[in-house]
Amino acid sequence: QVQLVESGGGLVQAGGSLRLSCAASGRSFSHYAMGWFRQAPGKEREFVGAISRNGGNTHHADSVKGRFTISRDNAKNTVYLEMNSLKPEDTAVYYCAASTRWLPRLIGEYDYWGQGTQVTVSS
């Protein structure tokens, strides 16, 4: 079992920045690839980014590429999502997730999920 707790969400103006954190507890954090997803009101949950177990490989969705960066610190059992140049369309609940696969991008490939943190970007 892995427990995931997101933090760092909030209200920010368009063009601003936020850094989300996801703290993991339970079984060895470094055994899992980690991902970030988001879900806006009335929309399906969508992939944002993923990072491999040792952090050497990452993948970001086209919608956030160049603005968001996923990273991890295995010593701190934490994964991060640095979000810059935020847009109103980035408003959503952001979830982190853990997977035993290498660099998963699909919801069904993740085994554990956090409760989410709200990000609201005002125009």
Side-chain angles (χ1 to χ4, degrees), residues 92-104:
V93 177
Y94 283 72
Y95 299 89
C96 71
S99 173
T100 56
R101 298 174 184 262
W102 179 65
L103 200 64

Side-chain angles (χ1 to χ4, degrees), residues 31-33 53 98-102 104 109-112:
H31 289 181
Y32 295 91
R53 297 174 185 179
S99 173
T100 56
R101 298 174 184 262
W102 179 65
E109 294 178 316
Y110 284 84
D111 305 292
Y112 303 101

Side-chain angles (χ1 to χ4, degrees), residues 32-35 49-53 55 57-58 70-72 79 102-103:
Y32 295 91
M34 299 298 295
I51 188 166
S52 59
R53 297 174 185 179
N57 296 91
T58 61
I70 188 171
S71 62
R72 68 189 295 164
V79 62
W102 179 65
L103 200 64

Side-chain angles (χ1 to χ4, degrees), residues 25-97:
S25 60
R27 299 182 67 178
S28 182
F29 178 68
S30 63
H31 289 181
Y32 295 91
M34 299 298 295
W36 284 97
F37 288 76
R38 66 186 182 184
Q39 187 166 17
K43 295 188 177 182
E44 294 185 351
R45 193 170 298 190
E46 65 174 3
F47 172 78
V48 174
I51 188 166
S52 59
R53 297 174 185 179
N54 66 359
N57 296 91
T58 61
H59 178 75
H60 298 82
D62 288 344
S63 59
V64 305
K65 201 168 291 183
R67 299 188 299 121
F68 292 10
T69 303
I70 188 171
S71 62
R72 68 189 295 164
D73 185 339
N74 285 351
K76 295 183 178 179
N77 287 0
T78 302
V79 62
Y80 304 98
L81 184 68
E82 185 75 36
M83 305 186 295
N84 299 312
S85 301
L86 282 160
K87 304 175 181 180
E89 51 263 45
D90 294 319
T91 295
V93 177
Y94 283 72
Y95 299 89
C96 71

